[in-house]
Amino acid sequence: MYIALEDYVRWYSPIPENIFERLAIEACCTMDKYTTGLDNVRKLKEAFPVDEDAENAVKFTAARLVNTLYQIYEAEQAASMGRGYVETENGLQRKIISRVEAGNEAISYMEGQNATTAIKNKDFWLAAIPALLLLAQTVAALFGFTLDLGEVGDKLLAVVNAVFALLAVLGIVNDPTTAGISDSKQARTYISPRED
């Protein structure tokens, strides 16, 4: 391996050793994949840098990959605990969208809906756009690129809000939980919005 836990903690906060070992192997395999030449020679394995600066550069790259993988791992763990059901007055209902953040990583899941219903739902798009931008940033980080998509994400969310506002005014977007374009009989009896 190109990095040990004691090297990793020079740059990042400590993580559990068993998790570090698994992520370090994955990071090192990724580095081998991208440094193997057309001649199938693993350049880092065959000619690991001997000068201190180059060796530290390889270790830092491995540490950065491990850190990115760990942030993804934390977000996945938090998301898996956030899935499931919510208690409503109608009994247990499956969660439709679950968004969980860990550090600067986030994962959004759609559950309990089919794709046709989801694309008509503004909340789906408001969760999907940041998730896709996060995926793009994470993939770019693996290749050493830094993407600052904060402003782009905000503009995309503003476009989604504007489009759904226009569609709602035109009567095109309706409540995806009811059949047809009108409110359910139950919803028509409300004087004010129901608080679930």
Side-chain angles (χ1 to χ4, degrees):
M1 284 202 304
Y2 304 124
I3 188 164
L5 185 56
E6 56 267 12
D7 296 318
Y8 177 82
V9 297
R10 288 172 45 199
W11 296 292
Y12 297 102
S13 299
I15 63 176
E17 190 172 349
N18 61 329
I19 296 170
F20 170 80
E21 292 296 325
R22 184 177 58 80
L23 297 178
I25 290 169
E26 187 176 343
C28 292
C29 288
T30 301
M31 291 173 70
D32 283 342
K33 177 181 176 183
Y34 291 103
T35 59
T36 299
L38 294 175
D39 55 0
N40 287 326
V41 174
R42 294 180 182 172
K43 305 299 186 211
L44 284 176
K45 293 261 189 225
E46 297 297 319
F48 192 81
V50 291
D51 87 45
E52 190 175 340
D53 289 339
E55 183 179 345
N56 281 332
V58 170
K59 288 180 180 180
F60 178 75
T61 301
R64 186 163 185 166
L65 276 171
V66 168
N67 189 58
T68 300
L69 292 168
Y70 184 64
Q71 289 175 345
I72 293 169
Y73 167 81
E74 281 185 314
E76 287 172 342
Q77 292 301 305
S80 69
M81 293 188 317
R83 286 191 234 155
Y85 297 89
V86 291
E87 184 71 41
T88 68
E89 66 183 41
N90 296 330
L92 287 177
Q93 302 288 321
R94 282 186 66 84
K95 287 186 179 181
I96 295 173
I97 296 179
S98 176
R99 178 178 170 84
V100 181
E101 297 181 21
N104 61 0
E105 301 294 330
I107 296 178
S108 297
Y109 291 97
M110 178 187 67
E111 299 183 13
Q113 286 185 314
N114 63 34
T116 305
T117 304
I119 62 172
K120 295 178 184 176
N121 188 329
K122 180 175 96 171
D123 292 332
F124 166 77
W125 289 106
L126 293 176
I129 289 172
L132 292 172
L133 293 176
L134 173 66
L135 176 65
Q137 285 178 317
T138 303
V139 170
L142 285 174
F143 295 102
F145 297 102
T146 302
L147 295 179
D148 182 14
L149 300 174
E151 195 173 307
V152 172
D154 293 342
K155 288 179 181 176
L156 284 172
L157 293 177
V159 168
V160 168
N161 278 320
V163 167
F164 274 91
L166 177 64
L167 293 175
V169 167
L170 295 174
I172 296 171
V173 176
N174 63 317
D175 180 358
T177 63
T178 62
I181 60 171
S182 63
D183 288 334
S184 66
K185 288 180 184 177
Q186 181 181 357
R188 282 182 257 157
T189 65
Y190 299 154
I191 295 170
S192 62
R194 193 170 96 186
E195 310 250 343
D196 285 340

